[in-house]
């Protein structure tokens, strides 16, 4: 079974979606808490909660994210992401009640700290791999961070248990997931893989689910749900086939 994580990306206190992760490309979808409540109502077992301001270095939405976790964390698992770069931001997310925290830029800029976080928190920490081609995108996707497979080699060696793999060029574009990239990443690591970016149809979920035996066991849903390409209930049905 493929586990689905509806996304709630927060900027300036609002639920938004970006195109290709670009700051300034936001589409406003209103209250983050209401969005999260809706996904729980429709059957979500996980929520992917992102602080975009923290990721871009333009502030933070910690109070809103904490409110979501405090209200819904008892009934749904929450994965938090965005701006987690040091002990304080990691511990804040975990203390708020996050079931799992994604580390992004920090894994590229401070690998030793990331290794310590993985050693301390094990599978409660995942590493985001935001990719253009085979090159990592760092710091809110505006810098390059080296080759994805070279980075994975180090992270595998320190025990990373999960990667969240996003093809930046497809994120928010409704152009289909990069199945080849997901297959390549999964074939090179013992870690589990979460697919992110580009999902636009139920057949995309079927294509990702076909990689389950390779270790791709989760998928993040963003624009496809907000644009009503399909319902979360239909996606959960397909994921359980």
């Amino acid at each position: 079974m493929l586990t689905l994580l509806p996304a709630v990306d927060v900027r300036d206190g609002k639920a938004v979606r970006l195109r290709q992760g670009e700051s300034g490309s936001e589409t406003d979808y209103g209250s983050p808490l209401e969005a999260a409540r809706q996904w729980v109502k429709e059957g979500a077992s996980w929520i992917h909660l992102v602080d975009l301001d923290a990721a871009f270095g333009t502030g933070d939405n910690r109070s809103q994210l904490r409110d979501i976790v405090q209200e819904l964390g008892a009934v749904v698992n929450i994965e938090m992401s965005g701006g987690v770069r040091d002990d304080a931001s990691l511990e804040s997310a975990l203390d708020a009640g996050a079931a799992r925290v994604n580390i992004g830029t920090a894994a590229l800029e401070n690998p030793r700290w990331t290794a310590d976080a993985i050693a301390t928190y094990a599978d409660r920490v995942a590493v985001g791999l935001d990719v253009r081609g085979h090159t990592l995108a760092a710091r809110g996707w505006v810098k390059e961070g080296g080759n994805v497979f070279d980075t994975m080699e180090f992270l595998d060696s320190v025990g990373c248990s999960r990667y969240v793999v996003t093809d930046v060029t497809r994120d928010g574009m409704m152009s289909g997931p990069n199945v080849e990239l997901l297959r390549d990443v999964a074939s090179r690591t013992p870690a589990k893989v979460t697919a992110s970016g580009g999902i636009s149809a139920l057949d995309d979920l079927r294509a990702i689910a076909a990689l389950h035996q390779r270790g791709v066991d989760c998928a993040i849903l963003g624009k496809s749900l907000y644009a009503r390409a399909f319902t979360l209930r239909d996606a959960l049905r397909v994921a359980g086939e």
Side-chain angles (χ1 to χ4, degrees):
M1 181 175 178
L2 187 67
T3 299
L4 302 182
L5 296 84
V8 180
D9 293 2
V10 186
R11 189 154 208 199
D12 292 330
K14 299 176 181 179
V16 303
R17 296 304 303 168
L18 305 182
R19 291 171 58 86
Q20 297 183 333
E22 293 182 0
S23 180
S25 68
E26 297 91 351
T27 300
D28 181 354
Y29 289 98
S31 163
L33 180 56
E34 287 301 322
R37 285 172 175 163
Q38 183 63 31
W39 303 142
V40 172
K41 182 179 178 181
E42 293 187 23
S45 60
W46 280 84
I47 298 288
H48 180 70
L49 189 56
V50 185
D51 189 336
L52 287 175
D53 284 303
F56 285 118
T58 55
D60 68 72
N61 299 276
R62 288 179 183 171
S63 62
Q64 289 94 334
L65 269 61
R66 184 175 290 272
D67 287 346
I68 293 171
V69 177
Q70 288 182 345
E71 177 175 326
L72 301 176
V75 295
V76 67
N77 295 301
I78 295 181
E79 176 178 83
M80 294 181 69
S81 183
V84 180
R85 300 187 178 100
D86 53 29
D87 288 336
S89 53
L90 175 56
E91 290 168 7
S92 175
L94 292 170
D95 290 345
R100 187 163 63 221
V101 177
N102 290 348
I103 298 171
T105 299
L108 313 178
E109 297 181 347
N110 194 345
R112 284 312 328 168
W113 174 78
T114 304
D116 290 342
I118 290 169
T120 301
Y121 296 106
D123 61 1
R124 294 192 70 192
V125 169
V127 174
L129 301 175
D130 303 325
V131 186
R132 290 187 181 93
H134 286 164
T135 300
L136 287 162
R139 185 66 68 171
W141 295 2
V142 297
K143 293 183 179 180
E144 291 189 354
N147 181 272
V148 61
F149 299 118
D150 292 342
T151 299
M152 284 171 54
E153 185 175 356
F154 167 74
L155 292 168
D156 284 344
S157 75
V158 298
C160 182
S161 63
R162 177 173 298 275
Y163 297 113
V164 180
V165 180
T166 304
D167 183 332
V168 175
T169 65
R170 301 193 186 210
D171 191 63
M173 300 302 291
M174 301 284 286
S175 56
N178 189 336
V179 175
E180 182 179 355
L181 172 64
L182 295 170
R183 184 183 296 110
D184 286 348
V185 169
S187 69
R188 296 182 184 226
T189 178
K192 297 295 185 182
V193 175
T194 297
S196 174
I199 296 170
S200 61
L202 294 176
D203 279 345
D204 292 337
L205 294 177
R206 294 185 177 99
I208 292 170
L211 301 175
H212 192 278
Q213 294 299 320
R214 296 174 179 263
V216 184
D217 65 348
C218 295
I220 294 171
L221 301 178
K223 184 67 173 291
S224 56
L225 292 180
Y226 289 90
R228 301 182 181 178
F230 49 77
T231 68
L232 179 57
R233 288 189 176 96
D234 284 343
L236 290 167
R237 174 181 52 79
V238 169
E241 290 176 351

mmCIF file of all heavy atoms in Angstrom, residues 202-232:
data_model
loop_
_atom_site.group_PDB
_atom_site.id
_atom_site.type_symbol
_atom_site.label_atom_id
_atom_site.label_comp_id
_atom_site.label_asym_id
_atom_site.label_seq_id
_atom_site.Cartn_x
_atom_site.Cartn_y
_atom_site.Cartn_z
ATOM 1 N N LEU A 202 -4.695 9.995 -11.179
ATOM 2 C CA LEU A 202 -4.669 8.747 -10.415
ATOM 3 C C LEU A 202 -3.700 7.744 -11.023
ATOM 4 O O LEU A 202 -3.080 6.949 -10.296
ATOM 5 C CB LEU A 202 -6.078 8.164 -10.342
ATOM 6 C CG LEU A 202 -7.091 9.001 -9.552
ATOM 7 C CD1 LEU A 202 -8.469 8.372 -9.630
ATOM 8 C CD2 LEU A 202 -6.659 9.165 -8.096
ATOM 9 N N ASP A 203 -3.522 7.777 -12.337
ATOM 10 C CA ASP A 203 -2.556 6.862 -12.961
ATOM 11 C C ASP A 203 -1.128 7.176 -12.521
ATOM 12 O O ASP A 203 -0.270 6.275 -12.516
ATOM 13 C CB ASP A 203 -2.657 6.926 -14.485
ATOM 14 C CG ASP A 203 -3.814 6.082 -15.028
ATOM 15 O OD1 ASP A 203 -4.347 5.245 -14.271
ATOM 16 O OD2 ASP A 203 -4.178 6.267 -16.206
ATOM 17 N N ASP A 204 -0.865 8.431 -12.166
ATOM 18 C CA ASP A 204 0.458 8.762 -11.626
ATOM 19 C C ASP A 204 0.697 8.013 -10.320
ATOM 20 O O ASP A 204 1.815 7.547 -10.051
ATOM 21 C CB ASP A 204 0.580 10.271 -11.380
ATOM 22 C CG ASP A 204 0.585 11.079 -12.656
ATOM 23 O OD1 ASP A 204 0.924 10.527 -13.717
ATOM 24 O OD2 ASP A 204 0.235 12.277 -12.587
ATOM 25 N N LEU A 205 -0.333 7.908 -9.507
ATOM 26 C CA LEU A 205 -0.208 7.161 -8.252
ATOM 27 C C LEU A 205 0.022 5.685 -8.521
ATOM 28 O O LEU A 205 0.789 5.026 -7.816
ATOM 29 C CB LEU A 205 -1.452 7.355 -7.396
ATOM 30 C CG LEU A 205 -1.689 8.768 -6.874
ATOM 31 C CD1 LEU A 205 -2.997 8.827 -6.091
ATOM 32 C CD2 LEU A 205 -0.534 9.221 -5.995
ATOM 33 N N ARG A 206 -0.627 5.160 -9.539
ATOM 34 C CA ARG A 206 -0.412 3.750 -9.901
ATOM 35 C C ARG A 206 1.032 3.528 -10.352
ATOM 36 O O ARG A 206 1.642 2.512 -10.024
ATOM 37 C CB ARG A 206 -1.396 3.335 -10.989
ATOM 38 C CG ARG A 206 -2.857 3.323 -10.520
ATOM 39 C CD ARG A 206 -3.799 2.800 -11.582
ATOM 40 N NE ARG A 206 -5.174 2.741 -11.079
ATOM 41 C CZ ARG A 206 -6.097 3.676 -11.324
ATOM 42 N NH1 ARG A 206 -5.800 4.737 -12.068
ATOM 43 N NH2 ARG A 206 -7.312 3.540 -10.813
ATOM 44 N N ALA A 207 1.585 4.490 -11.093
ATOM 45 C CA ALA A 207 2.974 4.367 -11.555
ATOM 46 C C ALA A 207 3.947 4.394 -10.388
ATOM 47 O O ALA A 207 4.941 3.657 -10.367
ATOM 48 C CB ALA A 207 3.297 5.485 -12.544
ATOM 49 N N ILE A 208 3.665 5.245 -9.404
ATOM 50 C CA ILE A 208 4.518 5.308 -8.216
ATOM 51 C C ILE A 208 4.360 4.041 -7.384
ATOM 52 O O ILE A 208 5.342 3.474 -6.885
ATOM 53 C CB ILE A 208 4.193 6.564 -7.395
ATOM 54 C CG1 ILE A 208 4.603 7.821 -8.160
ATOM 55 C CG2 ILE A 208 4.908 6.524 -6.041
ATOM 56 C CD1 ILE A 208 4.097 9.107 -7.543
ATOM 57 N N ALA A 209 3.116 3.575 -7.236
ATOM 58 C CA ALA A 209 2.869 2.367 -6.454
ATOM 59 C C ALA A 209 3.593 1.155 -7.035
ATOM 60 O O ALA A 209 3.957 0.228 -6.294
ATOM 61 C CB ALA A 209 1.374 2.101 -6.366
ATOM 62 N N ALA A 210 3.829 1.171 -8.340
ATOM 63 C CA ALA A 210 4.542 0.068 -8.982
ATOM 64 C C ALA A 210 5.994 -0.016 -8.516
ATOM 65 O O ALA A 210 6.650 -1.046 -8.718
ATOM 66 C CB ALA A 210 4.486 0.220 -10.506
ATOM 67 N N LEU A 211 6.499 1.053 -7.875
ATOM 68 C CA LEU A 211 7.869 1.064 -7.364
ATOM 69 C C LEU A 211 7.936 0.664 -5.899
ATOM 70 O O LEU A 211 8.990 0.767 -5.271
ATOM 71 C CB LEU A 211 8.475 2.467 -7.532
ATOM 72 C CG LEU A 211 8.547 3.024 -8.950
ATOM 73 C CD1 LEU A 211 9.065 4.456 -8.928
ATOM 74 C CD2 LEU A 211 9.435 2.151 -9.829
ATOM 75 N N HIS A 212 6.818 0.189 -5.354
ATOM 76 C CA HIS A 212 6.761 -0.120 -3.922
ATOM 77 C C HIS A 212 7.807 -1.146 -3.523
ATOM 78 O O HIS A 212 8.461 -1.015 -2.474
ATOM 79 C CB HIS A 212 5.364 -0.606 -3.545
ATOM 80 C CG HIS A 212 5.132 -0.679 -2.066
ATOM 81 N ND1 HIS A 212 5.551 -1.742 -1.295
ATOM 82 C CD2 HIS A 212 4.536 0.191 -1.213
ATOM 83 C CE1 HIS A 212 5.220 -1.527 -0.035
ATOM 84 N NE2 HIS A 212 4.605 -0.360 0.046
ATOM 85 N N GLN A 213 7.977 -2.166 -4.326
ATOM 86 C CA GLN A 213 8.945 -3.211 -3.991
ATOM 87 C C GLN A 213 10.381 -2.682 -4.006
ATOM 88 O O GLN A 213 11.267 -3.286 -3.392
ATOM 89 C CB GLN A 213 8.816 -4.389 -4.964
ATOM 90 C CG GLN A 213 7.501 -5.141 -4.847
ATOM 91 C CD GLN A 213 7.301 -5.745 -3.467
ATOM 92 O OE1 GLN A 213 8.233 -6.268 -2.873
ATOM 93 N NE2 GLN A 213 6.082 -5.645 -2.947
ATOM 94 N N ARG A 214 10.608 -1.576 -4.681
ATOM 95 C CA ARG A 214 11.930 -0.947 -4.708
ATOM 96 C C ARG A 214 12.155 -0.022 -3.516
ATOM 97 O O ARG A 214 13.252 0.496 -3.336
ATOM 98 C CB ARG A 214 12.134 -0.168 -6.011
ATOM 99 C CG ARG A 214 12.129 -1.044 -7.259
ATOM 100 C CD ARG A 214 12.199 -0.186 -8.499
ATOM 101 N NE ARG A 214 12.212 -0.975 -9.718
ATOM 102 C CZ ARG A 214 13.311 -1.309 -10.381
ATOM 103 N NH1 ARG A 214 14.493 -0.918 -9.938
ATOM 104 N NH2 ARG A 214 13.236 -2.024 -11.487
ATOM 105 N N GLY A 215 11.078 0.242 -2.747
ATOM 106 C CA GLY A 215 11.219 1.067 -1.560
ATOM 107 C C GLY A 215 10.516 2.402 -1.614
ATOM 108 O O GLY A 215 10.608 3.193 -0.667
ATOM 109 N N VAL A 216 9.792 2.689 -2.712
ATOM 110 C CA VAL A 216 9.022 3.925 -2.801
ATOM 111 C C VAL A 216 7.653 3.644 -2.190
ATOM 112 O O VAL A 216 6.786 3.056 -2.830
ATOM 113 C CB VAL A 216 8.877 4.407 -4.255
ATOM 114 C CG1 VAL A 216 8.147 5.751 -4.302
ATOM 115 C CG2 VAL A 216 10.245 4.525 -4.923
ATOM 116 N N ASP A 217 7.455 4.062 -0.945
ATOM 117 C CA ASP A 217 6.253 3.647 -0.216
ATOM 118 C C ASP A 217 5.329 4.794 0.176
ATOM 119 O O ASP A 217 4.287 4.568 0.788
ATOM 120 C CB ASP A 217 6.643 2.847 1.025
ATOM 121 C CG ASP A 217 7.405 3.671 2.061
ATOM 122 O OD1 ASP A 217 7.828 4.801 1.730
ATOM 123 O OD2 ASP A 217 7.583 3.183 3.198
ATOM 124 N N CYS A 218 5.690 6.039 -0.179
ATOM 125 C CA CYS A 218 4.868 7.198 0.175
ATOM 126 C C CYS A 218 4.851 8.193 -0.988
ATOM 127 O O CYS A 218 5.791 8.234 -1.790
ATOM 128 C CB CYS A 218 5.414 7.922 1.405
ATOM 129 S SG CYS A 218 5.391 6.985 2.939
ATOM 130 N N ALA A 219 3.785 9.001 -1.045
ATOM 131 C CA ALA A 219 3.702 10.068 -2.045
ATOM 132 C C ALA A 219 3.018 11.283 -1.431
ATOM 133 O O ALA A 219 2.019 11.143 -0.716
ATOM 134 C CB ALA A 219 2.931 9.602 -3.275
ATOM 135 N N ILE A 220 3.567 12.455 -1.719
ATOM 136 C CA ILE A 220 3.003 13.720 -1.255
ATOM 137 C C ILE A 220 2.093 14.276 -2.344
ATOM 138 O O ILE A 220 2.469 14.329 -3.521
ATOM 139 C CB ILE A 220 4.122 14.718 -0.913
ATOM 140 C CG1 ILE A 220 4.926 14.210 0.289
ATOM 141 C CG2 ILE A 220 3.549 16.104 -0.620
ATOM 142 C CD1 ILE A 220 6.185 15.000 0.570
ATOM 143 N N LEU A 221 0.886 14.687 -1.943
ATOM 144 C CA LEU A 221 -0.080 15.264 -2.875
ATOM 145 C C LEU A 221 -0.276 16.734 -2.555
ATOM 146 O O LEU A 221 -0.594 17.085 -1.421
ATOM 147 C CB LEU A 221 -1.422 14.534 -2.759
ATOM 148 C CG LEU A 221 -1.407 13.033 -3.047
ATOM 149 C CD1 LEU A 221 -2.811 12.456 -2.828
ATOM 150 C CD2 LEU A 221 -0.942 12.762 -4.467
ATOM 151 N N GLY A 222 -0.084 17.587 -3.555
ATOM 152 C CA GLY A 222 -0.250 19.014 -3.347
ATOM 153 C C GLY A 222 -1.240 19.622 -4.318
ATOM 154 O O GLY A 222 -2.447 19.566 -4.117
ATOM 155 N N LYS A 223 -0.719 20.178 -5.406
ATOM 156 C CA LYS A 223 -1.552 20.902 -6.364
ATOM 157 C C LYS A 223 -2.694 20.047 -6.902
ATOM 158 O O LYS A 223 -3.804 20.548 -7.143
ATOM 159 C CB LYS A 223 -0.668 21.385 -7.525
ATOM 160 C CG LYS A 223 -1.375 22.249 -8.558
ATOM 161 C CD LYS A 223 -1.798 23.584 -7.991
ATOM 162 C CE LYS A 223 -2.349 24.510 -9.071
ATOM 163 N NZ LYS A 223 -1.288 24.962 -10.008
ATOM 164 N N SER A 224 -2.464 18.755 -7.083
ATOM 165 C CA SER A 224 -3.507 17.881 -7.640
ATOM 166 C C SER A 224 -4.767 17.890 -6.788
ATOM 167 O O SER A 224 -5.888 17.864 -7.319
ATOM 168 C CB SER A 224 -2.980 16.445 -7.777
ATOM 169 O OG SER A 224 -2.499 15.958 -6.532
ATOM 170 N N LEU A 225 -4.601 17.952 -5.473
ATOM 171 C CA LEU A 225 -5.767 17.996 -4.591
ATOM 172 C C LEU A 225 -6.403 19.377 -4.579
ATOM 173 O O LEU A 225 -7.629 19.516 -4.646
ATOM 174 C CB LEU A 225 -5.371 17.596 -3.169
ATOM 175 C CG LEU A 225 -4.960 16.139 -2.951
ATOM 176 C CD1 LEU A 225 -4.609 15.910 -1.484
ATOM 177 C CD2 LEU A 225 -6.058 15.177 -3.379
ATOM 178 N N TYR A 226 -5.576 20.417 -4.495
ATOM 179 C CA TYR A 226 -6.113 21.764 -4.413
ATOM 180 C C TYR A 226 -6.792 22.175 -5.726
ATOM 181 O O TYR A 226 -7.751 22.946 -5.728
ATOM 182 C CB TYR A 226 -5.004 22.754 -4.042
ATOM 183 C CG TYR A 226 -4.538 22.607 -2.613
ATOM 184 C CD1 TYR A 226 -3.498 21.743 -2.284
ATOM 185 C CD2 TYR A 226 -5.146 23.312 -1.585
ATOM 186 C CE1 TYR A 226 -3.074 21.588 -0.974
ATOM 187 C CE2 TYR A 226 -4.731 23.172 -0.270
ATOM 188 C CZ TYR A 226 -3.691 22.300 0.033
ATOM 189 O OH TYR A 226 -3.284 22.151 1.341
ATOM 190 N N ALA A 227 -6.280 21.661 -6.845
ATOM 191 C CA ALA A 227 -6.879 21.953 -8.151
ATOM 192 C C ALA A 227 -8.017 20.994 -8.479
ATOM 193 O O ALA A 227 -8.627 21.092 -9.550
ATOM 194 C CB ALA A 227 -5.812 21.877 -9.243
ATOM 195 N N ARG A 228 -8.276 20.044 -7.568
ATOM 196 C CA ARG A 228 -9.379 19.089 -7.708
ATOM 197 C C ARG A 228 -9.238 18.208 -8.940
ATOM 198 O O ARG A 228 -10.229 17.889 -9.612
ATOM 199 C CB ARG A 228 -10.718 19.822 -7.697
ATOM 200 C CG ARG A 228 -10.925 20.624 -6.406
ATOM 201 C CD ARG A 228 -12.256 21.310 -6.355
ATOM 202 N NE ARG A 228 -12.387 22.084 -5.118
ATOM 203 C CZ ARG A 228 -13.435 22.827 -4.801
ATOM 204 N NH1 ARG A 228 -14.465 22.903 -5.633
ATOM 205 N NH2 ARG A 228 -13.475 23.487 -3.651
ATOM 206 N N ALA A 229 -7.998 17.825 -9.228
ATOM 207 C CA ALA A 229 -7.781 16.855 -10.299
ATOM 208 C C ALA A 229 -8.396 15.509 -9.939
ATOM 209 O O ALA A 229 -8.831 14.757 -10.814
ATOM 210 C CB ALA A 229 -6.283 16.696 -10.576
ATOM 211 N N PHE A 230 -8.401 15.223 -8.650
ATOM 212 C CA PHE A 230 -9.076 14.048 -8.095
ATOM 213 C C PHE A 230 -9.281 14.313 -6.609
ATOM 214 O O PHE A 230 -8.710 15.256 -6.065
ATOM 215 C CB PHE A 230 -8.273 12.756 -8.325
ATOM 216 C CG PHE A 230 -6.820 12.856 -7.950
ATOM 217 C CD1 PHE A 230 -6.403 12.809 -6.627
ATOM 218 C CD2 PHE A 230 -5.839 12.996 -8.934
ATOM 219 C CE1 PHE A 230 -5.066 12.904 -6.269
ATOM 220 C CE2 PHE A 230 -4.496 13.088 -8.599
ATOM 221 C CZ PHE A 230 -4.108 13.038 -7.264
ATOM 222 N N THR A 231 -10.092 13.498 -5.980
ATOM 223 C CA THR A 231 -10.323 13.672 -4.542
ATOM 224 C C THR A 231 -9.327 12.840 -3.749
ATOM 225 O O THR A 231 -8.766 11.860 -4.254
ATOM 226 C CB THR A 231 -11.736 13.237 -4.148
ATOM 227 O OG1 THR A 231 -11.855 11.815 -4.312
ATOM 228 C CG2 THR A 231 -12.781 13.945 -4.995
ATOM 229 N N LEU A 232 -9.118 13.231 -2.502
ATOM 230 C CA LEU A 232 -8.244 12.436 -1.645
ATOM 231 C C LEU A 232 -8.833 11.044 -1.440
ATOM 232 O O LEU A 232 -8.091 10.056 -1.402
ATOM 233 C CB LEU A 232 -8.035 13.134 -0.302
ATOM 234 C CG LEU A 232 -7.155 12.381 0.701
ATOM 235 C CD1 LEU A 232 -5.774 12.085 0.133
ATOM 236 C CD2 LEU A 232 -7.046 13.158 2.010
#
